[in-house]
Amino acid sequence: MRDKKYYFSDKNQNIISEDQLVGKKIDDLKYFFTDYQIKKSDANERIFIMKKSLLGLFKLKLHLYLTEDTVYDYAIQI
């Protein structure tokens, strides 16, 4: 069980929580992640850098796992 729940907002102040990511099309989510650096982008996985700490040594990353441009799972890792 996670202690902290993450929320993302777009420029229109629409908010989505991390547990609402599953089942969404990546095209519908792209505006929520425009402020994050992309570490990896391919057909099966997208990795976004959410936060850097200690001079960039530690990074909080959001992994989105995709099938046919739809998120089927995600992970938030250091």
Side-chain angles (χ1 to χ4, degrees):
M1 185 171 162
R2 294 187 175 123
D3 295 337
K4 185 175 183 179
K5 193 174 203 178
Y6 292 94
Y7 295 89
F8 308 98
S9 64
D10 64 5
K11 295 188 189 295
N12 295 326
Q13 301 303 317
N14 296 319
I15 297 173
I16 189 170
S17 66
E18 67 179 75
D19 56 355
Q20 294 174 314
L21 296 173
V22 176
K24 299 281 186 186
K25 295 278 188 187
I26 196 66
D27 289 338
D28 297 336
L29 296 173
K30 65 183 175 184
Y31 297 110
F32 290 96
F33 303 116
T34 57
D35 294 335
Y36 300 119
Q37 177 186 354
I38 298 174
K39 182 174 181 177
K40 180 180 178 183
S41 179
D42 63 28
N44 298 325
E45 183 179 19
R46 302 274 164 88
I47 300 175
F48 297 94
I49 306 295
M50 296 170 48
K51 183 178 174 184
K52 294 181 182 181
S53 60
L54 196 59
L55 300 173
L57 251 53
F58 300 102
K59 298 174 185 168
L60 185 65
K61 296 176 275 192
L62 171 66
H63 296 252
L64 295 178
Y65 303 104
L66 308 168
T67 179
E68 298 180 14
D69 290 334
T70 302
V71 177
Y72 70 87
D73 200 7
Y74 71 94
I76 298 175
Q77 302 173 342
I78 294 180

